[in-house]
Amino acid sequence: MPSTLRRSKVPLYRQVQEVLERRLDGGSLRPGDKLPPETELAAELGVNRLTVRQAIGELTRAGRVVARQGAGTFVAQPPQHFPIELTPSYINDPDGMSHAFAAVGRHVTEFLVSSEVVLGGTAPEAEENLPGCRLRRIDTVLAVDGDPWFVNAYWLDDKRFRGITRLLGEGTPIYSVWNDAYRVRLRAAWRSFGAGSATPRVAELLDIPTGAAVVLRDGLNLDEDGKATVYINRSCRSDRVRFVANYVAET
């Protein structure tokens, strides 16, 4: 590394981080590119390997790069922006995500993680929104081009959707099952958004560090008769997803 940088009051790992950020911003390292090995970067920049590792760790926490076990560290894809449509339209896929990703040439799949009937008192928010039901909780992962971006928990009436678990095939979106197998069309009643940290379980499913920042999104869906039908909790990778609210001018 040039001596002018060494004399700086900025710590060495920050200087290395800034060098790599300039390469990311300048396009010499593009989304999907693999970063050079730590030893190669250390030799090029005149620092030790641990300094490079610390710099890459900071970039990982910022969502600029992603480590893949056994493969190396790669430049992350830029976040996908999702418009929030405040209209009473029906949901034909995971909240319009399939359509949004298809528009930019990407593919969404959903994989079943677990399914179980939950005991009373263990899911108070779901019970409040779906009163009088024997609730089933279904956990899934939504993946974009095979990369996990969302961890989902759905609560629904086990009696109404009897046998749903066996219909959730590999990669089949749960919204497709509701539409096709049960003839239930859903529309959003409300959505809420918040910031949180990945629990160990969510972190494992999303392949991110425990405690990494996630976007939390809760919501309730109604059927065509206006009956509360599905309560949803979703943990979204904050380095992959941004939600955008569009304001519509009054007419």
Side-chain angles (χ1 to χ4, degrees):
M1 180 176 290
S3 58
T4 54
L5 292 182
R6 284 188 176 277
R7 289 196 299 269
S8 170
K9 294 181 180 180
V10 178
L12 275 179
Y13 79 92
R14 288 291 188 191
Q15 296 181 53
V16 173
Q17 179 182 346
E18 290 169 0
V19 169
L20 295 176
E21 285 176 338
R22 286 196 292 271
R23 294 179 184 180
L24 294 171
D25 296 337
S28 58
L29 286 171
R30 303 179 63 82
D33 287 351
K34 183 177 180 179
L35 264 63
E38 291 176 358
T39 51
E40 182 178 322
L41 287 171
E44 175 194 349
L45 300 175
V47 297
N48 63 52
R49 183 178 178 180
L50 292 179
T51 299
V52 172
R53 181 171 299 175
Q54 189 174 4
I56 291 176
E58 293 297 318
L59 292 173
T60 301
R61 280 185 283 275
R64 301 298 304 272
V65 300
V66 57
R68 299 175 186 167
Q69 189 172 4
T73 302
F74 296 80
V75 180
Q77 296 289 338
Q80 178 75 35
H81 290 73
F82 295 101
I84 299 173
E85 300 291 344
L86 301 179
T87 59
S89 59
Y90 289 98
I91 305 169
N92 297 315
D93 60 45
D95 290 359
M97 289 184 185
S98 295
H99 177 76
F101 279 110
V104 292
R106 310 189 74 178
H107 182 59
V108 176
T109 48
E110 188 166 15
F111 300 92
L112 177 66
V113 175
S114 62
S115 176
E116 62 178 346
V117 173
V118 296
L119 300 176
T122 58
E125 291 185 344
E127 292 169 8
E128 180 181 346
N129 283 278
L130 300 170
C133 298
R134 185 178 79 157
L135 293 178
R136 174 171 292 277
R137 172 175 172 162
I138 297 175
D139 288 5
T140 71
V141 170
L142 275 173
V144 179
D145 295 335
D147 187 23
W149 282 28
F150 309 88
V151 171
N152 314 294
Y154 304 95
W155 287 267
L156 44 88
D157 184 348
D158 184 54
K159 182 178 179 180
R160 183 176 186 181
F161 296 100
R162 189 181 306 278
I164 190 172
T165 303
R166 58 183 171 79
L167 300 177
L168 298 174
E170 192 77 4
T172 304
I174 194 170
Y175 280 85
S176 297
V177 174
W178 286 323
N179 287 338
D180 300 338
Y182 295 94
R183 303 301 184 206
V184 174
R185 299 180 70 203
L186 299 173
R187 57 186 174 87
W190 57 266
R191 295 290 187 264
S192 69
F193 299 85
S197 301
T199 64
R201 182 173 183 274
V202 167
E204 180 181 4
L205 292 172
L206 289 179
D207 194 24
I208 59 177
T210 298
V214 292
V215 178
L216 303 177
R217 204 221 64 183
D218 291 356
L220 180 68
N221 287 342
L222 312 177
D223 65 12
E224 289 179 285
D225 296 323
K227 181 180 179 180
T229 304
V230 178
Y231 179 75
I232 308 170
N233 174 268
R234 177 168 287 155
S235 297
C236 317
R237 288 187 57 161
S238 63
D239 60 341
R240 296 289 186 272
V241 178
R242 299 288 186 273
F243 291 94
V244 180
N246 295 316
Y247 292 89
V248 179
E250 293 183 0
T251 57

